[in-house]
């Protein structure tokens, strides 16, 4: 049984297979072709934090593949009333075929997975957001082809998204440049990714403009992630020089793309002219969550399929 708790839980080969499948599955969806390999399968979705994209993409995706979903939140289940995570995992995984969890610490999803009879997917933790990076890389490939050897600039917080980019660079062999304000660096230990070793590693930059110079993709995220709201004001001040603006886009490669996992705050981490501008692919990126996750669920439940 395979879980997907971090980006590097799957090999490069399996990740690329899922991305290939995502393209096929997306094509079927666009052609209104019914594809229901998951009839009679049930996905439980556990949300301990808010969501729009993750919920809609998993729920719609599962229905499209013929399955069904159960939606649980901390507030309306025993999870919010201190039932041990191990007990919840044992019970829930006896009734469903697959579980997606959005929660706080990575240790919580690991504890759930350790006691689950079925595959568990990380729908965002404080440390990682693997499904989002899968969608981001799929989106890059759709627009520009293989990401191997390309340069991605991460500007902003050293958060769950940044940690996952670190793992993806190591797995898929692209250059990652990371620029964060001091005190908000990525956690090399969390991501367990190599630094400063060429393609497949990441390099840090004190100056975000330098990180963006010649990059093929510039990407950012909110300055304050869910669960860190108390730091909002301090972060707003610390991150002021890390807004992705037109000057940063101009410093990148002429055909550079802009991505943001959303939700976005125009005028904070990104200038409206950038996110709403011609280089932005954020709507494709959001839609692609559904296609890559359908491919991921197919893989976790059925393995490699023919055609
Ligand atoms: N990008 C993303 O995960 O969005 P939601 O928080 O809306 O699910
Ligand atoms: N880093 C953000 C991503 C939201 C999809 C958060 O964790 O809140």
């Amino acid at each position: 049984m395979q879980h997907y708790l971090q980006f590097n839980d799957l090999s490069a080969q399996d990740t690329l297979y899922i991305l290939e499948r995502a393209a096929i599955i997306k094509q079927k969806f666009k052609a209104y072709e019914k594809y229901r390999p998951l009839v009679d399968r049930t996905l439980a979705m556990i949300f301990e934090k808010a969501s729009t994209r993750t919920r809609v993409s998993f729920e719609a995706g599962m229905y499209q593949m013929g399955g069904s979903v159960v939606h649980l939140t901390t507030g309306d289940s025993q999870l919010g009333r201190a039932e041990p995570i191990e007990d919840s995992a044992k019970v829930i995984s006896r009734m469903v075929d697959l579980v997606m969890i959005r929660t706080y610490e990575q240790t919580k999803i690991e504890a759930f997975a350790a006691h689950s009879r079925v595959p568990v997917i990380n729908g965002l933790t404080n440390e990682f957001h693997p499904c989002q990076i899968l969608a981001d890389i799929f989106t890059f490939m759709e627009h520009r082809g293989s990401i191997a050897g390309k340069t991605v600039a991460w500007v902003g917080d050293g958060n769950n998204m940044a940690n996952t980019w670190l793992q993806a660079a190591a797995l898929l062999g692209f250059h990652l440049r990371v620029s964060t304000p001091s005190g908000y660096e990525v956690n090399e230990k969390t991501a367990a990714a190599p630094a400063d070793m060429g393609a497949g590693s990441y390099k840090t930059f004190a100056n975000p403009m330098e990180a963006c110079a010649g990059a093929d993709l510039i990407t950012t995220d909110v300055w304050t992630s869910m669960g860190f709201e108390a730091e909002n004001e301090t972060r707003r001040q610390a991150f002021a020089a890390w807004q992705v603006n037109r000057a940063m886009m101009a410093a990148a490669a002429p055909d550079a793309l802009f991505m943001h996992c959303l939700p976005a705050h125009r005028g904070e981490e990104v200038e409206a002219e950038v996110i709403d501008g011609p280089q932005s692919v954020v709507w494709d990126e959001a839609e692609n969550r559904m296609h890559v996750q359908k491919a991921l669920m197919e893989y976790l439940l059925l393995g490699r399929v023919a055609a």
Side-chain angles (χ1 to χ4, degrees):
M1 182 177 60
Q2 174 75 58
H3 298 298
Y4 195 58
L5 309 183
Q6 307 189 15
F7 198 84
N8 61 15
D9 276 353
L10 292 178
S11 66
Q13 210 187 15
D14 289 341
T15 303
L16 292 171
Y17 166 79
I18 288 168
L19 294 170
E20 264 170 42
R21 283 297 301 163
I24 294 165
I25 288 170
K26 178 172 182 175
Q27 213 174 6
K28 292 183 195 293
F29 174 79
K30 295 291 177 188
Y32 298 97
E33 184 188 325
K34 281 194 178 77
Y35 180 58
R36 297 185 169 157
L38 301 185
V39 170
D40 292 337
R41 307 289 180 119
T42 307
L43 165 74
M45 305 190 296
I46 301 173
F47 284 98
E48 298 208 289
K49 290 175 176 169
S51 167
T52 296
R53 279 145 288 270
T54 304
R55 165 134 192 220
V56 177
S57 55
F58 270 105
E59 189 159 338
M62 193 59 182
Y63 284 130
Q64 287 161 22
M65 290 199 296
S68 22
V69 299
V70 177
H71 178 250
L72 290 164
T73 67
T74 312
D76 65 15
S77 70
Q78 302 290 3
L79 286 160
R81 297 182 62 256
E83 180 167 12
I85 193 117
E86 294 78 5
D87 294 2
S88 305
K90 285 177 188 164
V91 171
I92 294 167
S93 70
R94 280 184 180 232
M95 302 182 203
V96 303
D97 303 279
L98 191 60
V99 179
M100 188 287 305
I101 307 181
R102 167 167 288 195
T103 187
Y104 292 87
E105 296 79 22
Q106 186 73 11
T107 49
K108 282 182 92 173
I109 198 169
E110 282 166 4
F112 192 103
H115 294 88
S116 173
R117 286 184 165 190
V118 302
V120 177
I121 300 172
N122 182 345
L124 181 145
T125 55
N126 289 350
E127 289 87 349
F128 297 112
H129 198 4
C131 294
Q132 182 69 54
I133 302 301
L134 210 49
D136 293 7
I137 288 167
F138 181 76
T139 307
F140 185 90
M141 289 165 70
E142 271 190 321
H143 285 270
R144 297 283 181 267
S146 171
I147 199 165
K150 294 283 173 41
T151 299
V152 176
W154 174 266
V155 175
D157 191 15
N159 63 11
N160 41 14
M161 284 287 295
N163 288 332
T164 313
W165 272 112
L166 254 62
Q167 291 197 340
L171 198 73
L172 301 177
F174 55 89
H175 300 269
L176 181 66
R177 300 187 186 156
V178 178
S179 182
T180 70
S182 94
Y184 298 94
E185 290 86 0
V186 282
N187 188 334
E188 195 176 316
K189 269 206 195 118
T190 302
D196 286 343
M197 290 167 59
S201 72
Y202 75 97
K203 197 167 159 58
T204 53
F205 291 76
N207 180 345
M209 278 298 276
E210 281 175 25
C212 293
D216 300 298
L217 165 64
I218 297 182
T219 182
T220 187
D221 186 11
V222 292
W223 289 342
T224 304
S225 284
M226 291 181 277
F228 296 84
E229 288 79 4
E231 300 172 15
N232 225 332
E233 208 31 62
T234 330
R235 284 172 169 266
R236 221 192 293 273
Q237 287 166 23
F239 283 82
W242 275 264
Q243 179 188 81
V244 176
N245 54 28
R246 281 165 287 179
M248 287 184 200
M249 291 306 297
D255 67 344
L257 299 174
F258 171 77
M259 289 189 199
H260 187 311
C261 65
L262 308 175
H265 304 80
R266 290 169 177 77
E268 290 190 23
E269 74 273 9
V270 61
E271 223 179 17
E273 288 80 356
V274 171
I275 192 168
D276 299 320
Q279 287 164 281
S280 171
V281 291
V282 297
W283 313 121
D284 288 345
E285 186 187 355
E287 176 189 327
N288 284 335
R289 285 290 302 279
M290 184 172 82
H291 307 302
V292 298
Q293 289 160 195
K294 285 169 76 176
L296 175 67
M297 292 192 286
E298 178 193 69
Y299 178 74
L300 295 178
L301 290 174
L302 306 178
R304 292 192 180 223
V305 298

